[in-house]
Amino acid sequence: NAGVTQTPKFRILKIGQSMTLQCTQDMNHNYMYWYRQDPGMGLKLIYYSVGAGITDKGEVPNGYNVSRSTTEDFPLRLELAAPSQTSVYFCASSYSSGTGQETQYFGPGTRLLVL
Amino acid sequence: GIQVEQSPPDLILQEGANSTLRCNFSDSVNNLQWFHQNPWGQLINLFYIPSGTKQNGRLSATTVATERYSLLYISSSQTTDSGVYFCAGNSNSGYALNFGKGTSLLVTP
């Protein structure tokens, strides 16, 4: 049981380039999330998904896109990278039965530097 | 979203000392978690504790949901306890965990 895995661990992008951050979970969780963490701060939600085919915006969605074609995978797409997107990106997953969410489990993070 | 305040922002302890970290919420939460972010940046789940008290080894946590706060106790601290401790919660109508800014803990030998 690997939990939540993310690739790559670290990436340097030039301004204007695009890339996809990969996230996979093997816990059969229905909910998945993408957060970003800026230096000295807590995490902020970018996008989330409550099931395959269903996604919605979080607090800071501008400049990002997501898709959820399977229960396991939740990739995050950066289009036209900007220096403001330099951050650490965390993917997370949890199970919700409808009576409330359970523990969110986090991946190891992807460090992104945009120059 | 819910506002989360953590205190103290920074803490330096000598190995073996005890400490209490506090988390206040601006509104009711139905999912409250404590995390330890180690020096390598990894977020480690400590407790899922929307109410009540839990203990895990030298760590314990208490949440008083009616008064919108949670406490994390670290006893007999070790250098490996160093890092940033975050609490986070979401409201009844929200999906995101709202994070505080964290308590940065340094345990010295």
Side-chain angles (χ1 to χ4, degrees):
Chain A
N1 199 339
V4 181
T5 57
Q6 294 182 236
T7 56
K9 288 187 172 59
F10 178 67
R11 182 78 181 266
I12 299 174
L13 281 183
K14 293 182 180 177
I15 294 171
Q17 286 185 321
S18 45
M19 74 166 293
T20 299
L21 283 67
Q22 301 292 344
C23 175
T24 300
Q25 55 93 7
D26 63 359
M27 297 175 282
N28 203 29
H29 286 166
N30 47 355
Y31 285 20
M32 295 187 75
Y33 316 82
W34 275 105
Y35 293 86
R36 60 176 286 173
Q37 183 181 27
D38 297 327
M41 303 295 287
L43 280 66
K44 293 188 177 180
L45 185 69
I46 305 171
Y47 270 94
Y48 66 95
S49 168
V50 300
I54 306 169
T55 62
D56 207 348
K57 296 177 181 178
E59 185 182 354
V60 289
N62 291 343
Y64 307 95
N65 274 301
V66 294
S67 60
R68 182 107 181 262
S69 55
T70 66
T71 301
E72 296 79 18
D73 300 306
F74 191 41
L76 177 72
R77 178 85 178 158
L78 276 73
E79 305 283 1
L80 299 174
S84 60
Q85 293 178 303
T86 293
S87 191
V88 181
Y89 292 83
F90 288 96
C91 180
S93 71
S94 68
Y95 177 74
S96 174
S97 62
T99 59
Q101 279 191 58
E102 298 177 6
T103 304
Q104 286 193 24
Y105 294 90
F106 284 77
T110 293
R111 292 182 178 275
L112 177 66
L113 179 60
V114 182
L115 298 174
Chain B
I2 293 174
Q3 306 302 311
V4 182
E5 284 187 22
Q6 290 189 243
S7 60
D10 301 283
L11 188 57
I12 299 176
L13 297 175
Q14 201 155 21
E15 208 167 17
N18 303 326
S19 62
T20 301
L21 282 57
R22 186 178 177 106
C23 186
N24 290 329
F25 290 88
S26 62
D27 204 346
S28 301
V29 294
N30 70 349
N31 174 1
L32 195 158
Q33 293 184 232
W34 282 96
F35 298 90
H36 174 215
Q37 189 166 39
N38 64 23
W40 295 271
Q42 190 176 9
L43 275 170
I44 299 163
N45 281 305
L46 296 177
F47 294 101
Y48 170 80
I49 186 164
S51 63
T53 297
K54 289 186 178 179
Q55 180 156 8
N56 184 2
R58 297 181 294 104
L59 301 181
S60 64
T62 294
T63 296
V64 183
T66 53
E67 296 188 23
R68 302 177 189 169
Y69 74 88
S70 185
L71 302 173
L72 178 69
Y73 306 96
I74 304 174
S75 64
S76 304
S77 58
Q78 300 176 358
T79 56
T80 51
D81 294 332
S82 296
V84 183
Y85 289 80
F86 289 102
C87 67
N90 68 322
S91 66
N92 292 334
S93 58
Y95 294 100
L97 280 177
N98 296 282
F99 281 75
K101 291 185 178 180
T103 292
S104 182
L105 173 64
L106 177 63
V107 181
T108 61

